[in-house]
Amino acid sequence: MLKYFIFVLLAVILPLSAEDLSKKPAVIFASGNNKFVLHHVIESFYLRYPEARVIVQYGATGDLASAILEGVNYDIFLGADMEFAQKIYKANKAATQPKKYAEGSLVLFIPGDKTLSQRKLSILKDSKIKHITIANKKTAPYGKAAIEVLKNLKLLDAVSPKIRYSMDISTAISNVVWYDDAGFLSKSALHSLPVGYTVEGVNWIEVESSLYTPIIQGFVVSEMGLQNTSAIKFIDFLLSPEAQAIYKAHGYK
């Protein structure tokens, strides 16, 4: 069963001629962490290609991939890892092989504490931290990476009762802002937090990359996407130095 009504609407798009396909807006399914950077990429994309149009649907990588595997039409899939892009390709739901477009970084965010830079992730055992928000490890690669970190530090058993899962990395922000949760976020998410919440070493620290498998983010393009002028132009722009610089400025490697 499809999880979002928007997916259903996209699924019933009537057959289009090749000419219609080339002119319609490109439909992009993008992982939640892209929510903090992709609109900046699109702004620059429109400056270069003012005639192009894209429509973005955000969600957990696994949920978006499941919708595609169930038959929902899309042009471009921007995942938060390579695994789900590979699943789509192996299921013959993509016309291009998975390709990297970004590499993400994981951060730990907590209610402000000046000892964070010294105590690092061991601070999660502190009794004053009541909850730790992590994106769903089954559908969100950043959540999967967070669990891997806790396991590698042998902290998972100690903090497991505090963990609560959010749908994806973007929805974890409401918990860390409104409910004073600690939380594992993409580094890009820091750009969406209120002023005063982003003091490094007090509100957040970057998690050592050696503690988790690299978060290589991959994309695929559908057969429809290869016939869509806006989709082709967007992919070319996504891999350009200009777009890559925007990703880097927002916390990606």
Side-chain angles (χ1 to χ4, degrees):
M1 174 178 258
L2 300 182
K3 297 184 178 181
Y4 304 102
F5 74 92
I6 184 68
F7 291 161
V8 177
L9 292 177
L10 292 172
V12 297
I13 294 175
L14 295 176
L16 300 172
S17 68
E19 182 177 359
D20 290 333
L21 282 172
S22 69
K23 295 180 180 179
K24 77 179 184 71
V27 175
I28 301 174
F29 282 10
S31 57
N33 66 288
N34 273 292
K35 188 177 293 185
F36 316 116
V37 60
L38 193 57
H39 63 286
H40 295 294
V41 173
I42 291 172
E43 287 175 0
S44 295
F45 170 67
Y46 282 155
L47 290 176
R48 182 177 295 187
Y49 301 107
E51 76 288 354
R53 288 293 178 268
V54 298
I55 298 171
V56 183
Q57 171 65 44
Y58 294 102
T61 297
D63 289 336
L64 296 172
S66 292
I68 291 170
L69 294 174
E70 290 177 23
V72 174
N73 290 326
Y74 78 103
D75 292 308
I76 300 167
F77 170 79
L78 300 179
D81 66 1
M82 295 293 285
E83 181 179 342
F84 284 104
Q86 190 66 40
K87 286 182 179 179
I88 293 171
Y89 178 72
K90 287 184 176 180
N92 295 318
K93 296 291 185 178
T96 65
Q97 293 190 29
K99 187 172 183 178
K100 174 183 176 180
Y101 67 95
E103 181 176 347
S105 296
L106 191 66
V107 301
L108 171 66
F109 180 92
I110 67 164
D113 189 318
K114 293 181 179 179
T115 68
L116 174 60
S117 59
Q118 289 79 40
R119 297 166 70 187
K120 298 187 178 180
L121 275 74
S122 66
I123 203 170
L124 294 174
K125 295 189 292 184
D126 196 306
S127 60
K128 74 178 182 180
I129 292 181
K130 305 299 183 183
H131 298 288
I132 304 167
T133 292
I134 295 176
N136 188 331
K137 60 183 178 180
K138 295 181 179 180
T139 59
Y142 282 85
K144 181 179 179 181
I147 294 297
E148 185 180 1
V149 168
L150 294 175
K151 286 181 177 178
N152 285 335
L153 290 174
K154 295 180 170 49
L155 287 172
L156 184 59
D157 289 342
V159 304
S160 183
K162 300 182 180 185
I163 294 175
R164 54 182 176 185
Y165 293 100
S166 65
M167 183 178 70
D168 61 22
I169 199 68
S170 64
T171 55
I173 289 181
S174 62
N175 284 359
V176 302
V177 172
W178 299 111
Y179 303 113
D180 286 333
D181 280 13
F184 285 91
L185 307 175
S186 64
K187 192 174 182 181
S188 60
L190 296 174
H191 293 268
S192 70
L193 295 175
V195 175
Y197 277 74
T198 57
V199 180
E200 186 174 3
V202 175
N203 297 114
W204 68 276
I205 55 170
E206 188 164 352
V207 178
E208 292 181 23
S209 59
S210 61
L211 293 173
Y212 59 94
T213 303
I215 305 174
I216 306 299
Q217 303 195 185
F219 74 89
V220 289
V221 183
S222 70
E223 191 65 49
M224 288 177 58
L226 291 182
Q227 301 177 59
N228 184 295
T229 301
S230 289
I232 295 301
K233 289 180 177 178
F234 183 81
I235 289 301
D236 286 343
F237 184 75
L238 179 69
L239 300 177
S240 71
E242 182 177 351
Q244 291 295 299
I246 295 172
Y247 269 90
K248 184 176 181 180
H250 287 77
Y252 294 84
K253 298 178 181 178

